[in-house]
Amino acid sequence: SLLPSEYRDPLLPTGRRIQRAWRVVRSVGGEYDRPMSDAPAIETLGLSKIYGDSVHALVDLDLRVERSEVFGYLGPNGAGKSTTIRLLLGLIHPTAGRASLFGLDTQRDGLASRRPVGYLPGDLRLADRLTGREQLDSLARLRGDVDEPFRLELCRRLEVVLDRPIRQLSKGNRQKIGI
């Protein structure tokens, strides 16, 4: 196996049931191209999220993903995968534990910890009255510091439809705009 034994088949309690989540890691080489410490790409220690008094969405997740690794976070519905992503992105706050991205604490360092991270949800919501170009311009203004030549090259390579309203695009073409 590619993983140390402590990372194999962790038991994640969800609600009243116990389910398994499987994690797979494969090294692909190379380093992240921004100057950062040698800290892992993702690290969580005792990360937990409890809603109300009884819904244990995530319990004591200890996770470490090194830089240059491809990581698949797999598990059945309700195992805490989406909750983990939302915690890492600061969309929700943990009940206990901590998380870091590239050595930056997701709570304390907020925006700086998320800057090198991209997130494309399966249910991406875009302003359907805007064209693809208008949507990308709007997102660029929100994010700031966008490499316009890179954006244009990526749009060209992905064959993104930029001049039609988003409501007229297929889900696949909307996802390309999300990328």
Side-chain angles (χ1 to χ4, degrees), residues 13-16 46-61 80 83-84 87 92-97:
T14 57
R16 295 182 184 162
L47 193 63
S48 299
K49 180 63 178 176
I50 300 171
Y51 293 99
D53 293 330
S54 61
V55 179
H56 295 257
L58 189 68
V59 178
D60 286 334
L61 178 65
T83 299
T84 302
L87 288 164
I92 57 176
H93 297 287
T95 304

Side-chain angles (χ1 to χ4, degrees), residues 110-127:
L111 182 59
S113 73
R114 293 186 297 276
R115 192 153 237 350
V117 176
Y119 172 61
L120 182 62
D123 60 346
L124 177 65
R125 304 268 193 245
L126 299 171

